[in-house]
Amino acid sequence: IQVRLENVLESSATGALTLNDATAIYMYLLPKGLVRMKPLLEDLIQRRSPIRIVTYMFQVHGWAPKQIESTKAGMKLYLYEF
């Protein structure tokens, strides 16, 4: 298991970050950030399967979550599997 904490939009622009090895991605982003990430993730999904993506509080527009869970505080977690 390898855990990375990075600004993926900045890292991918410089070529420093590759998501090719990822089997699970957790995103704590506002809707605007999810919109910016969606093309990168869709490219990854085309190249690699299976992959799980979890978002906190906000759904990815146009994707149907496989599962929706709520935290104790009532915040939503959206699980996508491709």
Side-chain angles (χ1 to χ4, degrees):
I1 295 175
Q2 182 181 27
V3 177
R4 297 184 210 171
L5 175 61
E6 299 180 57
N7 182 332
V8 70
L9 294 173
E10 289 176 8
S11 298
S12 63
T14 63
L17 176 69
T18 176
L19 296 175
N20 293 336
D21 306 355
T23 57
I25 298 172
Y26 178 83
M27 296 189 299
Y28 184 79
L29 298 172
L30 295 172
K32 184 177 178 180
L34 293 173
V35 168
R36 291 182 64 193
M37 282 295 300
K38 189 175 178 183
L40 294 171
L41 295 171
E42 288 177 336
D43 181 55
L44 177 65
I45 291 163
Q46 293 298 318
R47 291 182 284 119
R48 178 174 179 75
S49 219
I51 189 163
R52 291 180 173 174
I53 299 171
V54 177
T55 61
Y56 177 76
M57 288 182 53
F58 304 103
Q59 289 183 275
V60 178
H61 181 70
W63 290 1
K66 180 174 182 175
Q67 188 173 346
I68 302 171
E69 295 286 332
S70 293
T71 66
K72 290 180 183 179
M75 301 303 192
K76 302 281 188 194
L77 293 166
Y78 299 91
L79 169 65
Y80 304 91
E81 291 185 338
F82 301 95

